Amino acid sequence: MKYFGTDGIRGRVGEPPITADFVLKLGWAAGRVLAEEFGEDATVVIGKDTRISGYLFESALEAGFSAAGIDILLLGPMPTPAIAHLTRSMHAAAGIVISASHNPFEDNGIKFFSREGQKLSDDLQSAIEARLEQPFEQVSPERLGKARRIDDAVGRYVEYCKGTVTWGTRLDALKIVVDCANGATYRIAPEVFRELGAKVIGIFDQPDGLNINQKCGSTHPGNLARMVTAERADLGVAFDGDGDRVVMVDHRGELVDGDQILFVLAAARQANGGLEGGIVGTVMSNFGLEQALAERGIDFVRSAVGDRNVHEALVERGWVLGGESSGHILCLDRATTGCGIVSALQVLEIVARSGRKLADLTAGMTKCPQVMINVPSGGNGRAVLDGNEEIGAAVRRVEDELDGHGRVILRPSGTEPLVRVTVEGFDSQQVQRLAEELAGSVKQVLTA
């Protein structure tokens, strides 16, 4: 598509398409499509993360939908999965999230959820893109949409999150450090954990519009690790800016990524008879996860990168548990989309009920050394990768040296102008060297 990527529409604020005039017309185009699909009385909900440009784009979307004759419910700063949930619970025609997830504050984006709280279908996205090419036509004055703020949105989602753990679960024995990435979880996550009894130490929970994801959160867990050990906490939890990712840190300060979280959830569910089917990972999931699940007789399949692809693979098989090493975890028996808070709660319940440390729960999975190097692509990474003989030859050289005891993955990022070069194997020094050599080859081709 021209505008929609793997995770909505995203880019640098002030540069097309992330401009106020485009977002206003996007709201109008989406509004007219939704009115035709669900009727003129359709309503949408709009939420955002904490970056400063959210004010600008919230107003632009509100104006666009109003011009299309659609009523708007404004949620304010909320985690992305909260907007998906409230779209469904409030019977809206769609939910719109203003966020660039784990990107810095200079970026922003728009993504849509369907009335079922899932990613908007390709058909509706295509219809919105087609409408964007048509002239802007405002409805008559008496049909303009009205906007209303939902003042209790935070409380609604806090209660929902608490309801995703087994009745009677308490976290009283746990001391937890929570890194909110100065993002959308800053009010909700600490409140959820505290109301379940945990002693919570909050960090990076003072957003100012500019500090979202700034050396904090799930992409920078070093500060969390240091705080966990300094406070002698039981574990730490880190979200990304919009709250759909989560990674954890055990009591030793060791990182527990999405692959390890998936293993903990799968092993616990298998032990109590609650595992429905197998597990879906991605091409980037660590080989150690695949091995650990195989040892337990748990089916494992890989999808393309992206929580949308994981979701489709789960639905296709009738399974409920999947995710990515980055911390996108889907528990489809708990939520319609990936939620960092809900996923963290599933792990915390296992820790609380078993009385075991997180480090003990992850001990059954041994991660293979994996090195990923991001190579700037200028936005043309996919075109260069497709069929380039020099890059193909470089990949074959690496694969020949690994000799079947590792993997090579090259893929253009769906959210940033980067090519991600990943090498995985059993020898850490070899993996590092091969990743650097391959990244150098890719960089040489991209800059030629």
Side-chain angles (χ1 to χ4, degrees):
M1 298 186 190
K2 183 177 180 180
Y3 298 110
F4 284 94
T6 57
D7 200 23
I9 302 170
R10 187 180 296 185
R12 190 174 182 85
V13 174
E15 298 178 5
I18 309 302
T19 61
D21 55 340
F22 175 84
V23 171
L24 185 148
K25 191 171 184 183
L26 175 65
W28 168 82
R32 292 314 305 153
V33 168
L34 293 171
E36 292 168 1
E37 184 77 12
F38 302 113
E40 295 292 336
D41 60 347
T43 299
V44 298
V45 300
I46 298 176
K48 59 184 180 179
D49 64 22
T50 58
R51 62 196 75 217
I52 192 169
S53 57
Y55 295 102
L56 172 68
F57 296 126
E58 180 185 56
S59 298
L61 280 173
E62 179 185 343
F65 277 109
S66 178
I70 299 295
D71 287 345
I72 309 106
L73 302 175
L74 298 169
L75 304 179
M78 294 284 287
T80 288
I83 296 157
H85 167 71
L86 290 169
T87 298
R88 185 179 183 185
S89 70
M90 301 184 77
H91 304 285
I96 299 91
V97 183
I98 305 166
S99 174
S101 189
H102 58 281
N103 287 23
F105 86 93
E106 296 94 342
D107 294 342
N108 216 331
I110 311 292
K111 52 187 172 185
F112 290 79
F113 285 107
S114 71
R115 65 193 312 170
E116 292 82 21
Q118 300 172 0
K119 297 295 176 69
L120 202 65
S121 70
D122 289 340
D123 289 343
L124 282 177
Q125 288 185 358
S126 296
I128 292 170
E129 290 213 348
R131 187 58 64 100
L132 279 165
E133 301 303 318
Q134 299 179 15
F136 185 100
E137 295 180 355
Q138 178 184 305
V139 299
S140 58
E142 71 275 7
R143 293 170 53 208
L144 289 171
K146 292 176 279 189
R148 176 165 60 94
R149 287 213 170 264
I150 306 302
D151 295 326
D152 63 344
V154 168
R156 291 186 188 210
Y157 200 63
V158 167
E159 291 305 309
Y160 167 75
C161 289
K162 291 193 301 179
T164 63
V165 297
T166 305
W167 175 255
T169 297
R170 296 292 300 172
L171 307 179
D172 302 75
L174 297 180
K175 183 179 181 181
I176 306 169
V177 182
V178 180
D179 179 348
C180 296
N182 291 315
T185 62
Y186 79 101
R187 290 183 295 176
I188 294 177
E191 187 69 17
V192 169
F193 300 143
R194 286 192 182 104
E195 290 194 13
L196 288 171
K199 180 179 180 182
V200 175
I201 301 169
I203 60 173
F204 300 107
D205 55 358
Q206 301 293 322
D208 62 9
L210 308 178
N211 59 6
I212 185 171
N213 300 314
Q214 189 177 74
K215 297 181 179 179
C216 58
S218 62
T219 54
H220 297 86
N223 288 312
L224 175 66
R226 285 187 285 273
M227 182 65 75
V228 167
T229 55
E231 293 287 341
R232 298 185 182 275
D234 294 287
L235 54 86
V237 180
F239 303 102
D240 67 340
D242 74 330
D244 60 358
R245 292 188 188 190
V246 62
V247 299
M248 305 181 82
V249 168
D250 65 25
H251 72 286
R252 305 167 302 180
E254 298 292 327
L255 178 66
V256 176
D257 67 9
D259 289 338
Q260 293 165 295
I261 290 172
L262 268 182
F263 169 75
V264 170
L265 296 180
R269 288 182 177 218
Q270 184 188 49
N272 65 24
L275 181 62
E276 301 177 33
I279 306 299
V280 174
T282 75
V283 294
M284 298 301 297
S285 297
N286 193 277
F287 186 59
L289 172 63
E290 185 173 350
Q291 284 185 316
L293 295 176
E295 290 171 0
R296 287 158 178 77
I298 300 174
D299 292 335
F300 177 75
V301 298
R302 296 179 184 270
S303 74
V305 170
D307 59 332
R308 182 172 185 163
N309 296 314
V310 174
H311 185 277
E312 289 176 356
L314 287 171
V315 171
E316 180 183 330
R317 291 164 175 79
W319 298 353
V320 299
L321 189 58
E324 302 183 272
S325 54
S326 61
H328 279 126
I329 307 296
L330 283 83
C331 305
L332 295 186
D333 56 344
R334 301 292 196 276
T336 60
T337 189
C339 175
I341 298 173
V342 170
S343 300
L345 283 173
Q346 304 310 299
V347 177
L348 293 174
E349 178 176 348
I350 294 167
V351 171
R353 289 186 173 273
S354 69
R356 301 174 66 192
K357 293 185 179 298
L358 181 57
D360 298 329
L361 296 172
T362 60
M365 173 188 158
T366 301
K367 291 182 64 177
C368 293
Q370 185 184 78
V371 174
M372 183 176 72
I373 299 176
N374 292 322
V375 180
S377 66
N380 65 339
R382 186 176 300 280
V384 172
L385 289 181
D386 288 343
N388 184 278
E389 184 52 39
E390 289 183 53
I391 292 179
V395 170
R396 288 192 292 273
R397 287 195 297 272
V398 173
E399 290 178 334
D400 287 345
E401 184 168 340
L402 289 171
D403 194 25
H405 299 289
R407 298 189 305 138
V408 177
I409 308 104
L410 286 184
R411 67 177 187 90
S413 169
T415 58
E416 300 173 271
L418 301 169
V419 170
R420 304 197 193 281
V421 178
T422 304
V423 178
E424 188 176 61
F426 292 92
D427 183 325
S428 59
Q429 291 184 340
Q430 180 192 45
V431 167
Q432 182 69 44
R433 174 176 57 81
L434 291 176
E436 291 174 357
E437 290 176 3
L438 184 55
S441 298
V442 172
K443 182 177 182 180
Q444 187 173 8
V445 170
L446 288 170
T447 56

